[in-house]
């Protein structure tokens, strides 16, 4: 549905101001943000951000503001209706919002993947007490959120049921590694930044042949407050 609406540049958001801000506030905001994102500024400088900011400033401080404001209100009205419709349906997060808290490679570098090292001990050393981080944008916080988390599983060989050392299907291993998606749903209003949810994975087994590698999964919520200056 979102794709039916042509992109509309939010100049107020670019200037970190509410609709209807005064010309003075617009000028002050432009100066303040330009000091951060001007392309000449090391690390925080960005040509695209600055151009968008400059465009915002140029339009909102000129006679073009009147017609921009009219379009803005129309666009907002459409967006408001769209949000009302969306509220009733859950938001399915894209895979990019789900990340494993510590990569295996990173742990290996620190010598924490040695045999016999338990997850519990690794946690004590790294101070990381969760397996997965799910990023939710601030404006999505009060929606019903669905996340699909890929997890490693062991599946008992269906041919020999794990009982034949000469089984051709599993080469005698009795089971094989695979992955299954864990679908978790967060009701609205339960989400808070840094809140950790623990899931008992035995409740999510799709059948009695499939075993999750872990007993439980700890998911940390990250509420992203980043304001994007991009169009
Ligand atoms: Zn087998």
């Amino acid at each position: 549905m979102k794709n039916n609406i042509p992109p509309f540049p939010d100049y107020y958001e670019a200037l970190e101001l509410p609709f209807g801000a005064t010309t003075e506030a617009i000028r002050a905001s432009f100066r303040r943000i330009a000091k951060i994102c001007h392309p000449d500024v090391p690390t925080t400088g960005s040509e695209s951000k600055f151009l968008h900011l400059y465009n915002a400033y140029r339009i909102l401080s000129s006679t073009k503001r009147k017609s921009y404001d009219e379009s803005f209100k129309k666009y907002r009205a459409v967006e408001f209706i769209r949000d009302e419709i969306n509220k009733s349906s859950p938001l399915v997060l894209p895979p990019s919002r789900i990340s494993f808290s510590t990569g295996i490679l990173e742990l290996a570098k620190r010598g924490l993947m040695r045999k016999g090292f338990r997850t519990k001990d690794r946690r004590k050393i790294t101070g990381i007490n969760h397996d997965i981080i799910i990023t939710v944008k601030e404006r999505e916080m009060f929606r019903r959120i669905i996340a699909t988390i890929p997890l490693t599983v062991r599946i008992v060989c269906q041919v020999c049921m794990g009982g034949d050392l000469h089984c051709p299907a599993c080469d005698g291993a009795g089971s094989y590694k695979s992955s299954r998606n864990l679908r978790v749903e967060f009701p609205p209003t339960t989400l808070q930044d840094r809140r950790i949810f623990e899931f008992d994975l035995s409740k999510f087994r799709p059948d009695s042949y499939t075993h999750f590698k872990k007993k439980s999964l700890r998911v940390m919520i990250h509420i992203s407050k980043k304001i994007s200056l991009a169009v």
Side-chain angles (χ1 to χ4, degrees):
M1 205 169 164
K2 197 176 181 178
N3 297 334
N4 295 341
I5 302 159
F8 183 83
D10 191 337
Y11 292 149
Y12 287 99
E13 189 184 42
L15 287 155
E16 297 173 10
L17 289 170
F19 176 80
T22 63
T23 316
E24 289 74 32
I26 287 165
R27 195 177 303 128
S29 247
F30 169 69
R31 286 203 185 127
R32 181 178 60 81
I33 303 166
K35 275 182 198 155
I36 302 162
C37 72
H38 191 279
D40 289 348
V41 181
T43 56
T44 56
S46 157
E47 198 177 326
S48 61
K49 273 185 189 177
F50 181 75
L51 278 178
H52 183 53
L53 176 75
Y54 178 69
N55 251 335
Y57 171 66
R58 198 171 51 85
I59 299 290
L60 294 187
S61 56
S62 74
T63 49
K64 285 179 183 161
R65 181 175 179 179
K66 207 178 161 191
S67 76
Y68 174 82
D69 281 353
E70 286 310 309
S71 312
F72 184 90
K73 278 190 277 185
K74 265 182 230 156
Y75 174 79
R76 271 295 141 99
V78 173
E79 202 181 42
F80 177 77
I81 293 162
R82 195 187 68 203
D83 281 354
E84 286 299 303
I85 294 164
N86 282 345
K87 261 183 208 161
S88 52
S89 61
L91 175 70
V92 181
L93 292 181
S96 60
R97 302 281 199 86
I98 295 150
S99 59
F100 289 82
S101 56
T102 316
I104 285 175
L105 217 66
E106 186 53 39
L107 288 173
K109 262 190 228 157
R110 296 171 66 173
L112 297 175
M113 287 308 288
R114 287 194 307 268
K115 222 176 171 178
F117 233 95
R118 289 173 307 170
T119 308
K120 222 171 84 185
D121 300 327
R122 275 198 286 272
R123 280 185 177 150
K124 224 178 268 172
I125 291 166
T126 58
I128 294 168
N129 199 20
H130 50 268
D131 309 296
I132 303 273
I133 300 171
I134 292 182
T135 302
V136 176
K137 289 180 183 167
E138 204 174 19
R139 63 181 153 83
E140 299 164 345
M141 269 175 81
F142 302 104
R143 297 270 307 274
R144 196 150 53 94
I145 301 277
I146 290 175
T148 307
I149 304 166
L151 289 179
T152 307
V153 290
R154 280 225 149 254
I155 299 172
V156 175
C157 175
Q158 304 284 291
V159 177
C160 69
M161 291 297 166
D164 182 2
L165 283 172
H166 306 287
C167 170
C170 66
D171 243 350
S175 66
Y176 53 92
K177 219 167 125 178
S178 183
S179 81
R180 283 284 179 279
N181 285 330
L182 180 76
R183 188 179 181 275
V184 288
E185 190 171 329
F186 302 94
T189 74
T190 60
L191 300 179
Q192 284 166 28
D193 194 35
R194 305 195 71 79
R195 182 167 175 186
I196 291 176
F197 293 85
E198 187 163 15
F199 295 95
D200 177 354
L201 291 180
S202 69
K203 305 254 186 276
F204 292 88
R205 286 173 66 191
D207 51 62
S208 58
Y209 308 111
T210 307
H211 299 269
F212 285 102
K213 247 181 103 188
K214 301 156 157 296
K215 278 197 184 76
S216 64
L217 187 79
R218 291 171 69 85
V219 175
M220 190 175 87
I221 301 297
H222 167 60
I223 305 291
S224 160
K225 290 178 181 173
K226 208 178 109 204
I227 293 168
S228 168
L229 291 178
V231 183

